[in-house]
């Protein structure tokens, strides 16, 4: 989410693992999809476009980032490289 990579396997395996409701987000830059509250795989295809998000979508993404940062179950394990 955003520029960070979170390990959701610790506390979110049932959600992000195979068969889980959020499995489509695992292993991908899901920032745009999270912002748009979308499960559409097209939203996660690189390069992930972020510059056309509405203010409401940016707030939704920030809410997800806040959740991941505050939830001790999802540690930040890295940073995304800039897509070209």
């Amino acid at each position: 989410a955003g520029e960070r990579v979170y390990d959701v396997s610790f506390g979110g395996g049932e959600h992000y693992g195979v068969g889980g409701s959020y499995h489509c987000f695992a292993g991908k830059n899901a920032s745009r999809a999270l912002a748009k509250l979308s499960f559409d795989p097209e939203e996660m295809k690189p390069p992930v476009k972020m510059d056309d998000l509405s203010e409401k979508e940016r707030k939704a993404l920030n809410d997800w980032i806040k959740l991941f940062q505050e939830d001790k179950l999802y540690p930040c394990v890295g940073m995304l490289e800039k897509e070209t």
Side-chain angles (χ1 to χ4, degrees), residues 15-36:
H15 301 294
Y16 295 93
V18 175
S21 56
Y22 295 146
H23 176 69
C24 63
F25 301 135
K28 299 173 183 71
N29 179 351
S31 299
R32 182 179 179 84
L34 292 170
K36 295 175 87 51

Side-chain angles (χ1 to χ4, degrees), residues 3 7 11 16 18 23 30 36 41 45 52 54-57 59-60 67 74 79:
E3 297 177 349
D7 185 344
Y16 295 93
V18 175
H23 176 69
K36 295 175 87 51
K45 281 189 176 177
D52 65 338
S54 70
E55 190 62 35
K56 182 178 179 181
E57 291 166 338
K59 182 184 180 321
L67 172 77
Y74 304 135
M79 301 295 285

